[in-house]
């Protein structure tokens, strides 16, 4: 205990002394280095991957975070599960390869009993980096420029054999200098960036999208604060769209609680636009994701009804998405007549959709024929429709290449049909092989669709060993499936 108190006291003193406008990195780095060495000698029998606290402010925070985690005797996975973050992201924060967000640092500080040290250090690091980048944007003194050059070279040298470039102070300084010369990104660039993110979501690993979108949203808030008032509606729409995308990928990555909170934020961001379609799109997309997260049907129906009330059945993406989700939800609840009615209404809306919506095949913002067919495939599978097999074949033929998760879902629809038709063991084994073939690229949508295969087994067969084994396998972490 005396060692632990000494650690906290010395680190607190170093942080207080450092917070005098600009961080005194060598002194803080020395304090953390001594703490790490002392802790390894006393409490940690193994040597962790090296972290040099003097390399950058984020490396300093990472070394401190690692110290408190190891002091608690917890693994990365144990801490990540308790504070609701992906453990691979936590590992990157410890290595200084990613800036840690303030809300996650707050949860980590509480869980690791750091007594506010991590929170204070995060504030200092953020302030120092912001000050350094702001100073770099206007620098003209040769010594200052040379310091920026040294920071850049130090960050690039730290890459080593890594295939991923981490954010470094030097790169941020370089970009700030150039932006000061040529101008910061305007709304047109941000609109293009949001569109590109929408293209990436169906095929990229969700965890990497969470990191990229988080950083993009942070940068966007700064840009939006300095935007002309006359452009506010455009900036508000991009803000709502970025926030919606982050809520979506958090759900894809399995971070359900964080995703739910971000959906509420996305709804408030959409309200700022004053655009009924933007608000309806948030409600419809939350319901789509909530359907695959097994959220309460009453809540989902409330979201869908609100979306449809806002759009008043006008032919747009929000209306089509809301009707599609309602048909799937009703089919799952056993209201097959209501599900078919929503399917028919969705088909009528689809025929009147603008070309830019029906032609957007790749992004999550479009609503193409293959999405219509995907919905029909699942509804027919859930309702044991006689045309289920044909609906699945049509949907598979229309599915684009390069989007493996969507194709896996469609093949799982076939497994649902097989189980409903009495081929329980074959259907479950087929579903398992389909999901396993996807490797690590498993999303929450895939896992939930796979669970529908087991749900399709009649109540009298739920106690079968094959069903129990399948459910236990499906409960494993995505990386283990």
């Amino acid at each position: 205990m005396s060692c632990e108190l000494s650690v906290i006291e010395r680190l607190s003193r170093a942080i207080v002394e450092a917070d005098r406008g600009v961080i005194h990195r060598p002194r803080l780095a020395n304090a953390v280095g001594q703490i790490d060495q002392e802790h390894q000698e006393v409490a940690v029998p193994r040597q962790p991957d090296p972290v040099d606290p003097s390399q950058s402010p984020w490396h300093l925070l990472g070394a401190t975070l690692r110290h408190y985690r190891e002091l608690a005797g917890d693994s990365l996975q144990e801490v990540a599960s308790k504070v609701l973050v992906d453990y691979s992201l936590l590992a990157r924060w410890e290595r200084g390869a990613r800036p840690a967000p303030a809300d996650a640092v707050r949860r980590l500080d509480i869980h690791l009993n750091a007594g506010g040290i991590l929170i204070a250090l995060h504030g200092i690091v953020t302030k120092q980096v912001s000050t350094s980048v702001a100073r770099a944007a206007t620098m003209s003194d040769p010594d200052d420029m040379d310091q920026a050059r040294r920071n850049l070279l130090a960050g690039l040298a730290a890459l080593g054999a890594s295939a991923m470039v981490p954010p470094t102070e030097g790169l941020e300084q370089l970009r700030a200098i150039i932006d000061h010369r040529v101008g910061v990104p305007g709304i047109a660039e941000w609109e293009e960036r949001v569109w590109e993110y929408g293209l990436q979501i169906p095929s990229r690993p969700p965890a990497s999208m969470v990191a990229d979108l988080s950083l993009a949203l942070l940068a966007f808030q700064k840009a939006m604060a300095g935007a002309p008032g006359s452009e506010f509606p455009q900036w508000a729409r991009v803000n709502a769209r970025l926030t919606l995308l982050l809520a979506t990928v958090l759900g894809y990555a399995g971070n359900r609680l964080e995703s739910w909170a971000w959906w509420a934020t996305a709804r408030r961001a959409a309200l700022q636009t004053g655009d009924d379609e933007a608000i309806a799109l948030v409600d419809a997309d939350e319901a789509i994701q909530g359907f695959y997260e097994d959220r309460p049907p009453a809540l989902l129906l409330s979201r869908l009804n609100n979306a449809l009330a806002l759009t008043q059945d006008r032919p747009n993406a929000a209306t089509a998405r809301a009707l599609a989700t309602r048909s799937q939800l009703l089919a799952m609840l056993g209201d097959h007549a209501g599900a078919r009615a929503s399917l028919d209404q969705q088909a009528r809306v689809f025929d009147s959709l603008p070309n830019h919506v029906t032609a957007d095949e790749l992004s999550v913002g479009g609503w193409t024929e293959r999405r219509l067919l995907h919905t029909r495939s699942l509804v027919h599978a859930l309702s044991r429709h006689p045309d289920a097999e044909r609906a699945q074949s049509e949907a598979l033929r229309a599915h684009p290449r390069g989007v493996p998760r969507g194709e896996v879902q469609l093949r799982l629809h076939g497994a649902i049909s097989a189980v409903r038709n009495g081929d329980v063991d074959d259907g479950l084994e087929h579903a398992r092989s389909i999901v396993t073939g996807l490797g690590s690229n498993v999303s929450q949508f895939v896992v939930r669709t796979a669970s529908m295969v087991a749900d399709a087994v009649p109540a009298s067969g739920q106690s079968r060993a094959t069903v129990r084994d399948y459910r236990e396998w499906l409960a494993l972490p995505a990386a283990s499936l």
Side-chain angles (χ1 to χ4, degrees), residues 398-409:
H399 194 75
R401 294 182 178 180
V403 188
R405 291 194 295 260
E407 182 178 342
V408 163
Q409 284 181 266

Side-chain angles (χ1 to χ4, degrees), residues 214-262:
S214 299
L215 293 172
L217 257 171
L218 185 62
F220 183 80
Q221 302 313 304
K222 180 180 178 181
M224 187 176 180
S230 59
E231 294 182 356
F232 178 79
Q234 293 170 273
W235 286 86
R237 281 193 292 272
V238 172
N239 191 46
R241 188 63 178 159
L242 267 175
T243 311
L244 181 151
L245 292 178
L246 181 54
T248 299
V249 296
L250 280 166
Y252 281 16
N255 297 344
R256 297 176 63 180
L257 295 179
E258 286 196 5
S259 175
W260 296 350
W262 275 96

Side-chain angles (χ1 to χ4, degrees), residues 267-280:
R267 186 172 299 103
R268 291 193 294 272
L271 285 169
Q272 281 197 332
T273 68
D275 182 349
D276 285 346
E277 184 177 348
I279 303 168

Side-chain angles (χ1 to χ4, degrees), residues 438-454:
L438 196 56
S440 61
N441 199 13
V442 177
S443 72
Q444 186 69 19
F445 280 26
V446 171
V447 173
R448 178 65 183 117
T449 307
S451 73
M452 293 179 191
V453 180

Side-chain angles (χ1 to χ4, degrees), residues 108-315:
L108 285 163
D109 189 281
I110 293 171
H111 174 70
L112 297 174
N113 295 317
I117 299 299
L118 292 175
I119 296 172
L121 183 55
H122 182 271
I124 295 171
V125 167
T126 304
K127 176 176 156 185
Q128 193 277 336
V129 171
S130 299
T131 301
S132 176
V133 170
R135 186 172 65 250
T138 56
M139 66 173 55
S140 57
D141 185 272
D143 291 338
D144 288 339
M145 193 68 77
D146 189 55
Q147 179 61 49
R149 176 178 175 275
R150 286 195 295 271
N151 289 339
L152 178 60
L153 290 175
L156 295 176
L159 297 181
S162 174
M164 183 177 65
V165 179
T168 66
E169 184 181 356
L171 280 174
E172 286 295 304
Q173 286 179 331
L174 176 60
R175 186 169 59 81
I177 293 168
I178 296 173
D179 282 349
H180 184 69
R181 303 284 193 272
V182 302
V184 297
I187 186 60
E189 290 182 53
W190 278 105
E191 288 173 337
E192 183 178 278
R193 192 179 301 186
V194 170
W195 170 78
E196 188 172 0
Y197 280 133
L199 294 180
Q200 296 171 8
I201 285 178
S203 56
R204 272 188 61 186
S208 68
M209 287 297 301
V210 170
D212 286 355
L213 282 167
S214 299
L215 293 172
L217 257 171
L218 185 62
F220 183 80
Q221 302 313 304
K222 180 180 178 181
M224 187 176 180
S230 59
E231 294 182 356
F232 178 79
Q234 293 170 273
W235 286 86
R237 281 193 292 272
V238 172
N239 191 46
R241 188 63 178 159
L242 267 175
T243 311
L244 181 151
L245 292 178
L246 181 54
T248 299
V249 296
L250 280 166
Y252 281 16
N255 297 344
R256 297 176 63 180
L257 295 179
E258 286 196 5
S259 175
W260 296 350
W262 275 96
W263 280 116
T265 300
R267 186 172 299 103
R268 291 193 294 272
L271 285 169
Q272 281 197 332
T273 68
D275 182 349
D276 285 346
E277 184 177 348
I279 303 168
L281 194 61
V282 172
D283 281 330
D285 278 16
E286 182 182 9
I288 289 174
Q289 188 160 297
F291 173 77
Y292 287 96
E293 292 178 342
D294 205 20
R295 296 182 72 181
L299 173 67
L300 303 184
L301 285 172
S302 172
R303 296 284 191 268
L304 295 169
N305 290 337
N306 187 60
L308 293 171
L310 287 167
T311 63
Q312 298 179 352
D313 292 336
R314 290 189 296 272

Side-chain angles (χ1 to χ4, degrees), residues 77 86-88 205-207 252-255 405 432 435-444 446-447 472-481:
Q77 290 87 343
D86 186 272
Y87 81 91
S88 62
Y252 281 16
N255 297 344
R405 291 194 295 260
R432 188 194 292 249
V435 176
T436 302
L438 196 56
S440 61
N441 199 13
V442 177
S443 72
Q444 186 69 19
V446 171
V447 173
E472 289 173 2
W473 164 78
L474 200 57
L476 292 172
S480 305
L481 295 181

